[in-house]
């Protein structure tokens, strides 16, 4: 049978009895006035790393793109479909967000694949290998750090990937303009899906550090 | 200054004190054993339509792609980067999900743009016009339905878009194989961001209907 | 003038009025019966990483070696003076400890020097360069990981150094014998001198992880 | 099983709930600014003689080397690894300490071995005999002082050892230079692990005396 998953219907009813009842006015107002999120988050599809959960966000607060391994491609307008680039353009030029956060996370299956491990092989399949190949140059460097464990290399590439994506954001001319004018801030973050530690990218050094009054 | 948004840090602390404290064991176990979500959701970036909220989902339950207007492109392997296709491949072949839900929603800014309205003009930016052009043939037909109001046309295209995306899913050979074997189900849904009504796509007719015991 | 530092004398008086008064009986008993610490700790000289502070240890509990960067040399009896090896022999054969913990820490000046940074240059001086050269092969590999930041390389080498030292412990025949008999356990740890996070080395993978019910 | 010692984890939690909570700001500042200890202490590994305890020292105050019997070797650069000499070089040239304290203590197992007693035989193992042989010439003289008791000979050698180590410090050219310029002071101390008496070496006579207003 082909019926809509029961657990989703049950969850929907829980939402209606809980969050919707409590926030009904706010939700209706948001629908009428339109969304004005101040933050765009570019996150991974992983079922353990939902940005709304991590930041306890309410409806209307976060404009969220999710793709495998939270990658931002370089600005490359070529007349083709670019899902993530389109969303960035929509958020920056259409909604006028003030912050873009690229958020990586631990034990990322896409990153693991880029280091040639895990559930997915990059050279099988039609798309995942190509998608992750955006990280290939840095993945190769990280993979060759022979004295590090598999886990350390994985964490390293997860963070290197966030840094690369933040840098790619600056290749979008309108993003860069707004950053230089001080009207838009770019951020990197990394979330440990086990301990739930949040690490923030330092803008000067690129290092990931725990937020201060955490 | 360029510091990490305070509201996100405050939200993170609320998450740590609440959800994480309550679900710590489950979350840690998920991190150790790996994710095994049974459902992939393809949803919109809109800040008012987070799938985890609508389905009251816990960590580990939903593998989530979010792009502008929740579009699935046709299967078209051409050696280029395809964000959404890569995620579908990862979910189906890597994680073995049993359900894929394409979820549209009301007052969608991307759909509005496709009907030549709203915050974004399709012929200005570099990417959003191209991205939404995937809906151009059907958008044109809906736009020309002269007796319908703007709001009706908008809802119509939101639902037509979901139907098209579900059909595009079947163009992926491995998706189609699994559907035919009965191992994978494809679903469409539409969420009214104001009244919070959930509408489910009927597999036979393509109509959107309220779930039965709602 | 050459007099004994006043702050040490003041501290000594505080110790006499506090800890000594409270633990006088235990301390005297320890003096009479001899020490029977169950744990040896090999730690760094750094003033911010005293093992007794980190583990809130009482007199008699920890047998502590401290050298720059908490290095354990390979077993190499050659008729010369070996400070750390002598202490290991004393702890294992003389005192019969059950655990040896190699404890690294963040922002280690010795490790920084091994990566060619910080207060000390390895090629000046008579001894520090030679001492740190025990890490040279792995330091070179870590240093060449071009996509990682200085801070990430520093943390990586701090942890790689602990792993190497734990491995070097096993080159001591009597250490290895006791480990195989299950009478001695070897451990690695890493302490963040800022956030005070303690990370424990996993025996299987070599990864550093937060202790579970932390 | 090979798990991290429970008493250390319990101690760590006590540290986090106590000292770290109280001194968090100071500790974080120390991490950021780097350590600037004014005193280096060369002490014994003995679990009953931690310098931080005896001098009630806070994080950042003492740069601490610990080896068996708190020995300083003579300056002898020969292209080999010298743990203690490397630490002295680091403290003096890298950190610019103002004081070096060599601290002996009562009932020292290393000293006992040098007098042919206690848990460890100098002619058995590979390293401890060689290490303590640095005291052999003076140990022989003390051992032959026939009218003294074993206990008196032990205390005598503990103090003779401190004097020798202070003298060895002066064989390091940069140490001697700074001492002559009045920029660095060398000190000897001896701690009774039972009564907790602290004795200070007089610079003129070499005698150990109780500090004045003790």
């Amino acid at each position: 049978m082909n019926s809509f998953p029961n657990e989703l219907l049950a969850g929907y009813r829980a939402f209606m009895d809980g969050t919707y009842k409590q926030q009904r006015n706010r939700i209706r107002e948001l629908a009428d006035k339109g969304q004005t999120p101040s933050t765009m988050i570019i996150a991974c599809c992983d079922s353990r790393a939902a940005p709304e959960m991590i930041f306890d966000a309410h409806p209307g607060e976060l404009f969220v793109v999710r793709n495998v391994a939270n990658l931002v491609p370089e600005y490359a307008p070529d007349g083709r479909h670019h899902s993530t680039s389109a969303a960035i353009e929509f958020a920056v030029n259409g909604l006028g967000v003030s912050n873009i956060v690229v958020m990586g996370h631990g034990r990322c299956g896409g990153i693991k694949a880029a280091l040639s491990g895990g559930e997915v092989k990059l050279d099988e399949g039609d798309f995942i290998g190509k998608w992750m190949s955006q990280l290939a140059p840095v993945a190769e460097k990280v993979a060759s750090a022979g004295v590090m464990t598999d886990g350390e290399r994985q964490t390293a590439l997860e963070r290197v990937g966030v840094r690369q994506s933040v840098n790619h954001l600056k290749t979008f001319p309108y993003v860069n303009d707004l950053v230089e004018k001080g009207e838009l801030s770019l951020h990197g973050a990394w979330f440990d899906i086990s301990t739930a530690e949040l690490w923030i990218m330092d803008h000067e050094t690129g290092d990931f550090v725990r937020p201060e009054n955490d």
Side-chain angles (χ1 to χ4, degrees), chain A:
Chain A
M1 232 300 288
N2 222 355
S3 64
F4 203 74
N6 273 327
E7 61 272 27
L8 294 189
L9 289 177
Y12 169 65
R13 279 177 211 115
F15 159 67
M16 288 304 285
D17 289 345
T19 303
Y20 186 69
K21 251 190 194 144
Q22 291 150 28
Q23 302 194 27
R24 185 190 184 112
N25 288 344
R26 174 188 163 79
I27 285 172
R28 295 212 160 192
E29 199 183 312
L30 263 171
D32 286 346
K33 297 202 178 158
Q35 62 174 335
T36 54
S38 62
T39 297
M40 174 189 204
I41 301 217
I42 298 164
C44 182
C45 302
D46 193 295
S47 62
R48 300 163 297 179
E52 286 85 358
M53 174 187 76
I54 297 169
F55 296 117
D56 195 40
H58 295 276
E61 294 180 350
L62 303 180
F63 185 82
V64 178
V65 169
R66 291 177 73 176
N67 62 39
V68 173
N70 43 271
L71 301 183
V72 175
E74 273 188 287
Y75 174 76
D78 58 3
R80 291 169 172 273
H81 306 145
H82 292 276
S83 169
T84 307
S85 302
I88 292 167
E89 196 177 291
F90 192 96
V92 172
N93 291 342
L95 299 174
V97 296
S98 311
N99 296 288
I100 305 179
V101 177
V102 178
M103 190 165 89
H105 70 94
R107 314 190 193 202
C108 177
I111 296 291
K112 201 172 193 175
L115 290 166
S116 311
E119 305 93 341
V120 170
K121 299 287 164 272
L122 291 194
D123 50 357
E124 299 170 0
D126 303 307
F127 301 108
I128 191 70
K130 274 289 154 191
W131 178 249
M132 291 311 303
S133 74
Q134 296 179 83
L135 277 184
V138 287
E140 211 170 307
K141 287 188 191 163
V142 170
S144 69
V147 292
M148 295 169 73
T149 66
D150 285 353
E152 286 170 350
R153 275 193 284 261
Q154 166 100 15
T155 303
L157 186 54
E158 285 159 3
R159 293 177 173 191
V160 166
V162 171
R163 276 202 294 275
Q164 172 175 298
S165 284
V166 172
N167 286 333
H168 282 177
L169 281 172
K170 296 179 198 156
T171 64
F172 288 70
Y174 31 90
V175 170
N176 200 48
D177 278 2
L178 290 166
V179 168
E180 294 200 342
K181 283 186 199 157
E183 295 173 16
L184 176 63
S185 295
L186 310 181
H187 307 280
W190 180 90
F191 178 72
D192 182 317
I193 61 164
S194 178
T195 61
E197 287 177 2
L198 180 70
W199 296 68
I200 306 294
M201 194 184 82
D202 181 284
H203 287 84
E204 302 299 320
T205 63
D207 281 324
F208 283 73
V209 296
R210 302 294 306 277
E212 271 190 23
N213 42 352
D214 175 32

